[in-house]
């Protein structure tokens, strides 16, 4: 496999036509694969990230998020395919020659150096004049609300403050694309939520493109304009948080994003009104039929916990409900979670916001569960 960075025979990058460079994509990933020996870290991935977008890569450990980010930043070379930044092919361009900057999964700050020197490091390496460095360090620390911390050593800071230093260091060059690899991963929940707010504020005020890696679906939902859900080197679905949450296209996405009942089943009927019936282990679900669906086709269906209501009218005959016994009731603060089991042995979970009716239901009770066909997703893969 040739490596475009070290392969001297690679022709120089051809300057793109101006109309390409002024296009709306900040980053274009074209047919990119990456192999580490036998391991396929990314398998023929293509997509675009718009200028100024807050774009998240979401997926489980080992799915290829860091590898993709490192290739955009120039720390890793694609085995195949192209990455364009602002319309220009990046092949052969080292990290410092790209309009990107990266916050690494493990912050990579210099622990014994001061906050000031950590933030100034990149500019000093570029031999920028001292007074300009001072001005930029001051601005960057102000941006992340660490004014007055310049003299502190890194190992005298809290986790959240270290994150801010890493952000200031990445922002000091005003990169057009900021690459953030699980920047909040090591923080406790309280601080994590606070830093999510800070990041959103920074993104709004700076207007740069943010590419944010996380394995936390709630975080991706809360922060992003669009999300790419990844698994095993593939991108399974790209969309707005609403798209991904409400219309997952695969079983993996439905399972990974949100709290969802997922069942394997078989299509038993397709109606003229665009609805269909899917039978899953003795329970029938009425759903909106995707185009091209056939009777007898094996599919999975997904219905979110909060879309299964507890006190709805019983409609098991037409596939919009069933009766079940509560096996476990949990109080989750703003709502109750009921785990139930039907007479056929199908386990269904229902999240119900606090109401007097929900309060009265106890473990062992028989309840009527109901759902709307529009809330049941048919998953073809
Ligand atoms: N330098 C490397 N050499 C060999 N294999 C690698 C290397 N870097 C990554 N991999 C493999 O490539 C795959 C993707 O790794 P990557 O670090 O991109 O995952 P990730 O999605 O960032 O995971 P995490 O959430 O744990 O950080 C994994 O199977 C990993 O073991
Ligand atoms: Mg990673």
């Amino acid at each position: 496999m040739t490596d475009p960075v070290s392969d001297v025979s690679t022709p120089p990058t051809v300057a793109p036509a101006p109309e390409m460079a002024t296009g709306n994509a900040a980053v274009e990933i074209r047919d990119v694969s990456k192999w580490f020996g036998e391991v396929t870290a990314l398998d023929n991935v293509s997509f675009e990230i718009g200028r100024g977008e807050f774009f998240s890569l979401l997926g489980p450990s080992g799915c290829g998020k860091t590898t993709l980010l490192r290739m955009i930043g120039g720390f890793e070379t694609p085995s195949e395919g192209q990455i364009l930044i602002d319309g220009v092919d990046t092949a052969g361009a080292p990290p410092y020659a790209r309009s990107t900057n990266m916050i690494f999964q493990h912050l990579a700050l210099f622990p014994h150096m001061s906050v000031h020197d950590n933030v100034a490091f990149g500019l000093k390496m570029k031999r920028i004049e001292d007074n300009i460095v001072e001005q930029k360090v001051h601005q960057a620390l102000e941006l992340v609300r660490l004014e007055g911390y310049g003299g502190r050593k890194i190992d005298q800071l809290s986790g959240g403050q270290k994150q801010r230093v890493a952000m200031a260091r990445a922002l000091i060059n005003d990169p057009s694309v900021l690459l953030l690899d699980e920047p909040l991963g090591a923080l406790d929940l309280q601080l994590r939520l606070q830093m999510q707010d800070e990041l959103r504020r920074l993104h709004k005020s700076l207007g740069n493109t943010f590419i944010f890696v996380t394995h936390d679906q709630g975080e991706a939902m809360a922060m992003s304009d669009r999300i790419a859900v990844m698994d095993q080197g593939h991108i399974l679905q790209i969309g707005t948080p609403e798209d991904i949450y409400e219309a997952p296209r695969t079983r993996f996405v439905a399972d990974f994003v949100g709290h969802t009942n997922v069942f394997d089943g078989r299509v038993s009927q397709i109606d003229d009104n665009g609805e269909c019936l899917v039978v899953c282990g003795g329970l029938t679900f009425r759903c909106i039929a995707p185009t091209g669906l056939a009777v007898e086709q094996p599919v999975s269906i997904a219905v979110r916990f909060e879309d299964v209501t507890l006190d709805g009218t019983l409609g098991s005959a037409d596939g919009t409900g069933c009766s079940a016994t509560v096996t476990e009731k949990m109080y989750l603060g703003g709502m109750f979670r009921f785990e139930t089991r039907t007479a056929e042995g199908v386990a269904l979970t229902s999240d119900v916001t606090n109401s007097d009716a929900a309060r009265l239901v106890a473990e062992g009770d028989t309840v009527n569960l109901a759902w709307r066909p529009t809330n049941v997703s048919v998953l073809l893969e």
Side-chain angles (χ1 to χ4, degrees), residues 36 39 41 60-67 105 182 215:
F36 294 106
V39 177
S61 184
C63 72
K65 305 180 296 294
T66 296
T67 303
Q105 193 162 4
E182 308 226 23
H215 60 257

Side-chain angles (χ1 to χ4, degrees), residues 27 102 121 139 164 170 236 249 261-262 284-285 292 298 329 357 359 362 373:
V27 177
M102 181 145 167
F121 188 79
Q139 281 170 352
R164 284 164 213 248
L236 301 183
R249 281 209 293 269
N261 297 285
V262 185
T284 301
F285 290 88
K329 178 182 183 183
R359 252 175 246 287

Side-chain angles (χ1 to χ4, degrees), residues 194-358:
Q194 196 184 326
M195 291 299 290
Q196 286 178 7
D197 280 346
E198 295 272 317
L199 267 182
R200 266 199 306 261
R201 178 184 63 81
L202 274 175
H203 177 251
K204 269 199 195 115
S205 67
L206 296 171
N208 312 21
T209 307
F210 278 35
I211 309 180
F212 183 82
V213 163
T214 181
H215 60 257
D216 178 332
Q217 56 96 11
E219 186 163 277
M221 291 280 154
M223 312 278 287
S224 319
D225 295 316
R226 284 193 308 153
I227 299 171
V229 183
M230 298 179 64
D231 186 38
Q232 297 183 19
H234 295 104
I235 296 214
L236 301 183
Q237 190 168 352
I238 298 183
T240 62
E242 290 88 340
D243 286 341
I244 301 275
Y245 190 80
E246 282 163 26
R249 281 209 293 269
T250 63
R251 182 171 181 143
F252 181 88
V253 175
D255 266 335
F256 197 73
V257 178
H259 304 289
T260 310
N261 297 285
V262 185
F263 302 105
D264 291 327
R266 189 180 46 76
V267 180
S268 68
Q269 183 181 316
I270 300 176
D271 296 337
D272 290 341
N273 66 357
E275 293 183 353
C276 64
L277 294 178
V278 177
V279 179
C280 308
L283 195 55
T284 301
F285 290 88
R286 178 165 287 279
C287 345
I288 306 298
T291 48
L293 198 69
V295 173
E296 292 298 324
Q297 187 175 338
V299 293
S300 301
I301 65 99
V303 55
R304 307 229 163 251
F305 293 177
E306 72 265 26
D307 290 331
V308 177
T309 61
L310 198 77
D311 45 0
T313 44
L314 181 62
S316 55
D318 69 351
T320 59
C322 65
S323 106
T325 306
V326 176
T327 53
E328 194 163 351
K329 178 182 183 183
M330 281 169 280
Y331 179 62
L332 302 181
M335 62 187 173
F336 288 102
R337 175 162 298 166
F338 294 95
E339 289 182 357
T340 73
R341 193 168 287 277
T342 67
E344 298 84 9
V346 179
L348 261 168
T349 303
S350 161
D351 279 353
V352 180
T353 46
N354 293 342
S355 66
D356 290 342

